[in-house]
Amino acid sequence: MEQNENGSTTSKEEQEEALVALIEHRTHEVKNFRHRIAYYKTQLEEAEKRLQDSESKLARLRGQSNAVLGKSSLNDGIKIVKTECRSNSPIDRNEGSYKNQNQSKPELLIPSVNPKISQPVLLQRSSAKASINSSSEASPVVHTSPITGSSSRAKSDKSHSHRLSSEQQKVEIKDKGTKRKYDQKEHKELIPLIRKSSSPSLLHCQTSNHISSQHKRKLRSIALCPVNDQLFVTSALDGAVNLWQIQSKGSGASLLSTTDCVSAKHRRWPEDLAWHPEGNNIFSVYSADGGDSQVSVTNLNRGQGGDRVKFLEDKPHVKGIINGIVFMPWENTCFVTGGSDHAVILWSEQDGENKWKPKALHRNLHSSAVMGVAGMQQKQIVLSAGADRRIFGYDVRVGRADFKHQIDSKCMSVLPNPCDFNLFMVQTGTHEKQLRLFDIRLRQTELHAFGWKQESSDSQSALINQAWSPDGLYITSGSADPVIHIFDIRYNSHKPAQSIRAHQKRVFRAMWLQSVPLLISISSDLNIGLHKVY
């Protein structure tokens, strides 16, 4: 027995236990610092590679410039275009801040030799519904052009109604030439911020408006337009895809068109949908059972006739529901589908209108349904999450799996972070740990897990999905309860940073707009929620 500073005695066993605990703590500390050193070494190597690549590009550009100095025809075709950068942060934004953002450096654009003529979407005014908001159902109808911003009030007289039925509304969705301009995003380090704060940074939800979805059955999915932040589409079990336009900075929305997108053979509804990167087409996926059509393309540049929706001929999935479709964030336009047949299919764009060539990336890596697919920004890696509790990262260039995670619960979706290209989130079926964060560079390592308690149901629905905030710091999730859960990845708790009561029934999803501090949610109460957050 020994005497400590307070005069009490401490046994040898207690001293030994204390030292063992201290050694374990310091061992963990050493491992943590070693991990950080390895991490920053990797970051340094990647930064050096990017620097060398930029230097090489500059050298090639200068060489090309010297070669064409004498060619006036090429010089005449070069234009300097300034692009405006918008803030990605959903907080500390106000109405006056959108127009006063930092501008990037001038971008050098060389026109295509044979550019296509821009074709705006033409939608019949007669199909457009009144601008709907929660303030008053009797308010005048306002139709706003996304191009000019001008509006016209609909009167009740017959002559004006006739003009509305004959006019066409133009929506700013354009063809962008033979090859779209690839928009390379900027990488930001967010992983070091995970779990570093003992308190969350709360968002202020100022107002919540609700509009009727105009669907006859429950909503299924929602997608935001990649080229016009004021447009979004919704789909439902009635087989319809509705095109919407945000009005009055998020206080309401107008229904621009409704398209019947049921499958050709068995008239099934779209299970999921995705917007083409150029913004002119909506892609929907269905089921592989009964030889039905698997993918449809809705051309928003065409009228409401039968040629607006085309079905792709190829049917690479062999059975079951096709659970997800997503376009890859790569230079070459392509999308990926994942299905209940365990397969992940890559569809590449071919020459010609609506020509797509499918290729099976893998069919046997998963032993159960593939519930979610996604693409990583910095590498051509396709993420897939399955009901078999497996997460795969498949390297398309190499043609094999780059990594595999095996977790303790079935996976229902996967979603890469928009800013930190190494970070991605997986939705699981574990209560209070529904959301898991992973670093693509670390094997079998979970960075953080958080979730929520469900009051209305014990089951986890694959229809409930998540969305990242534009700055990559927040995640919104629907729930079986009528609330939107918001998670701050910097918060070291497993609980939501805050929850917003948003609907009367379960919330399927809440997505963030880029240019307006607004969340758009869909619910089984058949309403669309518009929630202003700051």
Side-chain angles (χ1 to χ4, degrees):
M1 305 288 286
E2 297 181 2
Q3 195 175 43
N4 61 18
E5 295 178 356
N6 297 326
S8 60
T9 58
T10 304
S11 66
K12 181 179 180 180
E13 288 79 8
E14 291 175 342
Q15 288 181 341
E16 185 177 344
E17 289 178 1
L19 287 173
V20 168
L22 182 62
I23 289 173
E24 289 179 353
H25 169 72
R26 289 181 174 172
T27 300
H28 177 73
E29 192 176 33
V30 168
K31 288 181 179 179
N32 187 32
F33 281 118
R34 284 177 177 170
H35 167 70
R36 291 188 180 184
I37 291 173
Y39 167 74
Y40 283 111
K41 281 184 177 179
T42 302
Q43 290 299 111
L44 175 61
E45 292 174 358
E46 292 179 357
E48 289 175 344
K49 290 179 181 178
R50 290 195 295 269
L51 175 61
Q52 293 175 359
D53 182 62
S54 298
E55 291 174 344
S56 300
K57 288 181 178 179
L58 177 61
R60 289 197 299 270
L61 180 62
R62 287 175 173 172
Q64 293 173 358
S65 300
N66 293 333
V68 301
L69 281 177
K71 299 181 180 181
S72 59
S73 60
L74 286 181
N75 290 339
D76 293 338
I78 297 178
K79 299 180 180 179
I80 301 297
V81 180
K82 292 185 178 180
T83 58
E84 181 178 326
C85 296
R86 294 190 174 118
S87 173
N88 283 334
S89 175
I91 55 179
D92 295 332
R93 299 192 296 188
N94 52 55
E95 296 180 1
S97 64
Y98 306 131
K99 298 180 181 179
N100 300 319
Q101 302 293 341
N102 293 329
Q103 291 186 339
S104 62
K105 294 181 180 180
E107 186 175 355
L108 189 65
L109 296 182
I110 302 178
S112 173
V113 177
N114 295 309
K116 292 182 181 179
I117 300 175
S118 298
Q119 298 289 339
V121 173
L122 299 179
L123 300 173
Q124 294 291 336
R125 281 285 184 109
S126 58
S127 65
K129 301 293 186 299
S131 178
I132 310 167
N133 55 52
S134 63
S135 59
S136 174
E137 295 183 358
S139 59
V141 178
V142 179
H143 295 283
T144 305
S145 169
I147 298 177
T148 63
S150 60
S151 62
S152 59
R153 296 193 177 276
K155 300 180 181 179
S156 59
D157 58 277
K158 293 183 179 180
S159 61
H160 192 74
S161 299
H162 177 73
R163 286 198 301 272
L164 281 179
S165 63
S166 62
E167 289 179 352
Q168 290 181 322
Q169 186 174 26
K170 294 183 178 180
V171 178
E172 190 180 10
I173 305 173
K174 301 177 180 179
D175 292 333
K176 293 189 176 180
T178 56
K179 189 174 182 180
R180 69 185 177 96
K181 181 182 176 299
Y182 178 59
D183 183 20
Q184 181 66 45
K185 296 181 179 179
E186 180 184 357
H187 172 76
K188 296 181 181 179
E189 291 288 344
L190 300 183
I191 291 178
L193 302 177
I194 295 175
R195 301 180 62 185
K196 294 302 181 183
S197 176
S198 59
S199 60
S201 297
L202 300 180
L203 303 178
H204 176 59
C205 184
Q206 184 184 38
T207 56
S208 292
N209 298 330
H210 294 85
I211 62 176
S212 172
S213 67
Q214 304 295 311
H215 286 286
K216 298 177 182 178
R217 298 181 64 188
K218 288 184 179 180
L219 287 136
R220 198 74 169 183
S221 57
I222 179 174
L224 305 181
C225 179
V227 298
N228 186 337
D229 201 28
Q230 305 299 306
L231 301 177
F232 67 95
V233 289
T234 57
S235 69
L237 301 185
D238 57 7
V241 172
N242 288 347
L243 174 64
W244 297 86
Q245 180 184 356
I246 298 295
Q247 300 284 358
S248 304
K249 298 180 180 179
S251 61
S254 293
L255 178 60
L256 300 181
S257 70
T258 296
T259 306
D260 185 2
C261 291
V262 295
S263 63
K265 191 171 184 180
H266 296 295
R267 298 193 61 80
R268 288 185 57 90
W269 57 79
E271 296 290 344
D272 191 23
L273 49 84
W275 217 309
H276 190 283
E278 292 180 2
N280 49 9
N281 292 317
I282 303 293
F283 285 65
S284 304
V285 289
Y286 302 87
S287 171
D289 292 333
D292 206 353
S293 302
Q294 298 186 8
V295 180
S296 73
V297 183
T298 302
N299 190 333
L300 299 176
N301 285 331
R302 292 182 178 175
Q304 293 290 342
D307 60 347
R308 189 175 197 186
V309 181
K310 296 293 185 181
F311 293 91
L312 302 187
E313 296 180 0
D314 291 290
K315 302 174 182 179
H317 290 279
V318 296
K319 65 178 181 178
I321 293 173
I322 302 172
N323 295 306
I325 176 173
V326 63
F327 276 86
M328 298 293 99
W330 306 333
E331 185 172 4
N332 296 325
T333 305
C334 57
F335 65 90
V336 168
T337 56
S340 298
D341 58 350
H342 314 174
V344 174
I345 308 294
L346 176 70
W347 303 69
S348 300
E349 190 173 26
Q350 305 296 303
D351 293 335
E353 186 178 8
N354 293 333
K355 298 293 184 181
W356 297 84
K357 182 179 180 182
K359 172 187 176 183
L361 295 183
H362 54 86
R363 295 184 182 272
N364 302 314
L365 292 183
H366 288 280
S367 60
S368 187
V370 175
M371 303 303 296
V373 288
M376 298 303 291
Q377 179 84 29
Q378 81 283 33
K379 297 180 180 179
Q380 288 198 5
I381 289 181
V382 175
L383 301 176
S384 59
D388 56 0
R389 306 180 181 182
R390 297 175 185 172
I391 306 162
F392 282 98
Y394 187 88
D395 193 322
V396 175
R397 291 183 175 178
V398 177
R400 59 177 172 80
D402 184 67
F403 67 85
K404 169 190 172 183
H405 293 318
Q406 181 80 49
I407 63 173
D408 58 357
S409 180
K410 65 179 181 179
C411 305
M412 290 177 286
S413 65
V414 58
L415 197 63
N417 187 280
C419 298
D420 192 324
F421 301 156
N422 298 311
L423 178 63
F424 66 93
M425 181 219 72
V426 175
Q427 179 193 2
T428 73
T430 305
H431 282 274
E432 300 185 57
K433 291 183 65 177
Q434 288 94 334
L435 310 183
R436 319 283 183 94
L437 296 181
F438 294 94
D439 185 336
I440 195 174
R441 299 161 298 182
L442 302 180
R443 302 298 184 257
Q444 300 292 344
T445 302
E446 186 178 281
L447 301 178
H448 190 29
F450 34 61
W452 63 91
K453 291 183 180 180
Q454 287 188 182
E455 298 177 0
S456 61
S457 173
D458 290 332
S459 65
Q460 298 288 350
S461 173
L463 297 178
I464 292 174
N465 287 299
Q466 292 73 42
W468 286 100
S469 63
D471 62 3
L473 296 175
Y474 295 89
I475 298 173
T476 52
S477 178
S479 72
D481 304 312
V483 297
I484 300 172
H485 296 298
I486 300 178
F487 298 88
D488 183 351
I489 66 172
R490 298 162 293 185
Y491 187 28
N492 60 13
S493 172
H494 296 286
K495 300 178 180 179
Q498 61 192 111
S499 299
I500 301 173
R501 186 170 182 86
H503 288 272
Q504 298 300 317
K505 296 182 180 180
R506 67 169 53 194
V507 179
F508 291 132
R509 194 171 191 180
M511 302 192 72
W512 308 69
L513 290 189
Q514 296 280 340
S515 61
V516 179
L518 186 72
L519 284 174
I520 306 177
S521 59
I522 57 175
S523 167
S524 58
D525 64 7
L526 298 184
N527 287 326
I528 298 172
L530 305 172
H531 319 278
K532 291 187 177 181
V533 291
Y534 296 90

